Amino acid sequence: MHRLIRNIGWLLTGRGVNAVLSIVYLALATRTLGLDHFGYFAIILALGQTVTGLANFQTWQFVVRWGVGEDGPGDATGFAIALDMLSVAIGLVLAAALVWSAPLWLPLPAELLPVAFGYCVVALLSIRTTPTGLLRLRFAYARATAAESVQPMVRAAGAGIAAVAMPTVTGFVLAWAAAEIAVATALWIAASKQEKIDLSRISFTRIPVPGGLCGRPICRAVSMSDRSRS
């Protein structure tokens, strides 16, 4: 119960930090860009979120459910990373289709289409559900909260820089893209300190077996079947 309350506290702390800083960076974006250009900015962000939402396999669930087996989360992590790579490949196709067709159904100027596609690419490369799963598997909510707090801090700092040095839609999109890269990097670093990540185990075919599935009756049945064939 003590650990549960502590983890809830870390989650609430992270949400509180994000809420406070979101007021700062959204205020900077709206006041700097104005109504029309902030609308373009919001459309680009929505495209990035749509692409990652459609292509993302939520691999943290594989890590949490399968990583508790006797062999640890190695195979589960490798399988999850493989799925993340597939997400990037699928997402790139979706991003190209959405951005290419955007002028047909969205009020997005043609000069912002490359910016929108670039942000979609960054969002896909910054998919971070696998390291999040590793941290949740080990109940490292403090590390996860610290890593995730990088995103609002970088957004706030980037929004301030953009408001002064590059007060355009592209400038603010670059700030948001930098925040995506920063938080993904922070989460991978935090996860690698918590659990060794063996890139040689990345595979679609090496599907991990949940710890609970290998119950002793099943294992004994497999063993008896092997002995009978021999």
Side-chain angles (χ1 to χ4, degrees):
M1 182 60 68
H2 175 71
R3 184 170 63 179
L4 175 63
I5 295 174
R6 183 181 60 191
N7 291 336
I8 292 175
W10 281 115
L11 290 173
L12 293 176
T13 299
R15 291 181 181 275
V17 171
N18 191 13
V20 172
L21 291 177
S22 67
I23 296 174
V24 176
Y25 58 69
L26 288 176
L28 285 169
T30 52
R31 293 179 67 86
T32 303
L33 295 177
L35 184 60
D36 290 341
H37 287 83
F38 183 79
Y40 300 150
F41 172 68
I43 289 174
I44 292 173
L45 296 186
L47 287 174
Q49 292 175 352
T50 299
V51 168
T52 53
L54 292 174
N56 197 343
F57 285 98
Q58 296 296 323
T59 52
W60 69 269
Q61 298 188 31
F62 295 101
V63 177
V64 170
R65 293 179 182 180
W66 294 350
V68 295
E70 296 178 358
D71 297 330
D75 285 343
T77 303
F79 185 70
I81 294 176
L83 286 178
D84 286 339
M85 293 179 175
L86 180 60
S87 294
V88 173
I90 295 173
L92 288 174
V93 177
L94 290 173
L98 284 175
V99 174
W100 176 79
S101 63
L104 302 177
W105 52 286
L106 288 173
L108 192 64
E111 60 269 18
L112 290 177
L113 295 181
V115 178
F117 182 74
Y119 180 76
C120 289
V121 172
V122 171
L124 287 167
L125 294 176
S126 301
I127 288 176
R128 47 193 176 271
T129 54
T130 298
T132 299
L134 285 171
L135 292 170
R136 291 181 180 179
L137 176 67
R138 299 308 181 195
F139 296 96
Y141 284 87
R143 288 180 181 269
T145 300
E148 290 172 352
S149 66
V150 170
Q151 184 182 53
M153 289 190 292
V154 174
R155 279 183 181 176
I161 295 172
V164 175
M166 196 176 183
T168 62
V169 173
T170 301
F172 280 92
V173 170
L174 288 175
W176 259 245
E180 292 294 321
I181 295 172
V183 68
T185 302
L187 281 167
W188 276 110
I189 292 174
S192 64
K193 290 182 178 179
Q194 194 71 28
E195 190 76 38
K196 181 181 178 181
I197 299 174
D198 187 359
L199 298 181
S200 65
R201 301 177 78 168
I202 298 176
S203 173
F204 283 112
T205 58
R206 189 182 296 155
I207 301 177
V209 177
L213 182 61
C214 192
R216 298 299 176 240
I218 295 177
C219 293
R220 286 197 296 269
V222 173
S223 178
M224 291 175 61
S225 175
D226 291 339
R227 287 198 298 269
S228 65
R229 284 197 297 267
S230 62

